[in-house]
Structures are given as structure tokens and as C-alpha cells.
Amino acid sequence: MVVKRALVESRPWLLLSLVAAISYYFVSDAPIPGLYMMLWKGLGVAFLGVFALARHHSLDGRLLGGVMALGAIGDMLIEIDLIYGAIAFLLGHIVAIILYARHRRRTVTPSQRMFAIVLVPAVVLIAWALPIDRSGATGIAVYSLFLAVMAAMAWTSDFPRYRVGTGALLFVASDLLIFARFGPLEGSVLPDWLIWPLYYFGQFLICTGVIQSLRHRDPRAAG
């Protein structure tokens, strides 16, 4: 009965998240008033946050819920101003780093460690080099430092690497495409096609991967 109740109460949030995110992708260019479009955009990751809180009642579950909540806020604020959105996402990266720091992998292979070490300067350097207008390059590099550290920590955490680690890398790819809009991909349709799917499914993999692990490790806190 407990398992059945949990499925009834919690899984709908995951379904609502998918419906909101996928539908947003197809209506993002529709003539819908800006406020409604902002709210629609934020719902996809916001529902992931509710899913996280509903599925695991622990500090880690709350941290993950906070990551998703800040992501949803960033999704909406970025429609007002890129800097406002970046601040929300940066705060989300900090919370995610704290979460992954609580779950360090005991044994990391040399190749995995090297990948994480190289990832940070590589992402920062690429992000810094992308914009044509160099006035914002430093700010982009600072933001990208937190983004890259988050991804490196996810990759070397003890959460499932090919869900949580891969999800974090999809997040990185999405943000690099955003920065590429200010440089080599200015005017290209490629970012429009890829940014949202990469970002959302990155968040989806992170959220479901972490929750799956937490529920296996501490079923007493599972919702």
C-alpha cells in the first residue's frame, strides 16, 4: 500500500514536468503573452523540484529540490534579463556542488579524475572565448567556472555517472550554446533547436538519477 500510494502521489509530478517542458518547446515561438510564456517555461523544472521533494524527505532531497527550484527561477528570469537568470542558475550550481560534495565517490579511476580536472578549465576557456563582444567575457567566464565545477563534481560523485554526470554535461552543452549565440553561432537556428532539449533533459537526468540513488540508499526517507 505504501509503494502504491507513493506512485500515485509522486509520479504525476514527473509526468507534468515532461508535458510542460515538451509542450513549451513547441510553443516557445507562439504569440503568447510574455508572462504566461515565462510561467510555462518555468513549470518543467519546477515540477522536477516538487518531484524531488515528494520522493525523498531528507536534506539531500531538499538540496536537490532547491537546485531545481533555482533552475526554474533562472528559466523565467532569463526571459527578462540574461544576468538575472545567470545569477539564479549560479546559485543553483552552488547548491548542486554542496549536494555532490556530500556524495563523493570513494574510488575514482585516473581517467575519470583527469576528465573532471580538464573539464573545468576547458569549459571556462571555451565560454570566455565565444562572445564577439569582449565586454561580457569575464562575467561569462566566472559563471562558467561554477557551471564547470558543478559538472565535474557530478561526474565524480557516487550518483549514477551516466545519468547524473551525463545530465550535468548536457547542462554545460546547453549553456555553451547560449554563449555561442553571442559569437560563432549568432543568427544560427542550431541554438534554438538544441538549447532547451539539452538543458531540460539534463535536469531531468540529474533529478531522477539522484532521487533513484537516494531512495535505494535510504528507503526510510522515501516518499
Side-chain angles (χ1 to χ4, degrees), residues 4 9-10 23 32 35 55 60 65 88 106 109 114-116 139 147 150 160 162 165 172 174 176 186 191 204 207:
K4 188 174 182 179
E9 292 179 355
S10 301
S23 61
I32 298 174
L35 178 61
R55 295 294 279 172
D60 292 321
R106 291 185 179 181
T109 66
M114 182 58 64
F115 177 79
L147 170 70
M150 178 277 295
Y162 294 106
V172 169
S174 173
L176 289 179
E186 184 178 8
F204 183 90
C207 186

Side-chain angles (χ1 to χ4, degrees), residues 178-199:
I178 292 176
F179 304 143
R181 275 178 164 172
F182 306 124
L185 294 182
E186 184 178 8
S188 171
V189 298
L190 192 62
D192 295 334
W193 291 344
L194 295 180
I195 287 173
W196 181 253
L198 288 172
Y199 162 75

Side-chain angles (χ1 to χ4, degrees), residues 67-68 93 96 100 115 119 123 143 146-157 160-176 198-207 210:
V67 171
M68 296 298 136
H93 297 329
Y100 300 141
F115 177 79
L119 179 68
V123 169
Y143 167 83
F146 287 90
L147 170 70
V149 171
M150 178 277 295
M153 294 287 284
W155 189 258
T156 55
S157 73
R161 181 173 291 112
Y162 294 106
R163 292 185 68 178
V164 178
T166 299
L169 293 178
L170 291 177
F171 199 144
V172 169
S174 173
D175 276 359
L176 289 179
L198 288 172
Y199 162 75
Y200 173 74
F201 285 108
Q203 293 279 51
F204 183 90
L205 287 173
I206 290 169
C207 186
V210 170

Side-chain angles (χ1 to χ4, degrees), residues 14-15 19-22 45 55 61 81 90 98 125 134 146 171 182-184 211 215:
L14 204 57
L15 178 61
V19 170
I22 294 171
V45 176
R55 295 294 279 172
D81 189 285
L90 188 148
I98 293 171
L125 181 60
R134 305 309 297 161
F146 287 90
F171 199 144
F182 306 124
I211 288 299
R215 287 173 61 83

Side-chain angles (χ1 to χ4, degrees), residues 15-152:
L15 178 61
L16 286 170
S17 172
L18 285 165
V19 170
I22 294 171
S23 61
Y24 170 77
Y25 181 74
F26 290 103
V27 303
S28 56
D29 291 329
I32 298 174
L35 178 61
Y36 297 109
M37 188 63 76
M38 284 173 54
L39 292 173
W40 196 334
K41 184 179 184 182
L43 283 176
V45 176
F47 282 135
L48 288 180
V50 178
F51 170 79
L53 295 173
R55 295 294 279 172
H56 209 265
H57 308 144
S58 65
L59 175 58
D60 292 321
R62 291 191 292 273
L63 286 172
L64 180 62
V67 171
M68 296 298 136
L70 287 165
I73 293 169
D75 290 336
M76 293 184 286
L77 290 182
I78 204 170
E79 297 299 312
I80 300 173
D81 189 285
L82 184 64
I83 294 177
Y84 295 160
I87 291 172
F89 283 121
L90 188 148
L91 293 174
H93 297 329
I94 292 173
V95 177
I97 289 168
I98 293 171
L99 172 63
Y100 300 141
R102 288 170 50 84
H103 292 271
R104 305 306 305 139
R105 187 176 293 271
R106 291 185 179 181
T107 303
V108 181
T109 66
S111 61
Q112 293 163 356
R113 182 179 293 105
M114 182 58 64
F115 177 79
I117 292 172
V118 171
L119 179 68
V120 175
V123 169
V124 173
L125 181 60
I126 292 170
W128 175 83
L130 282 173
I132 295 173
D133 181 359
R134 305 309 297 161
S135 62
T138 300
I140 287 175
V142 171
Y143 167 83
S144 297
L145 175 62
F146 287 90
L147 170 70
V149 171
M150 178 277 295

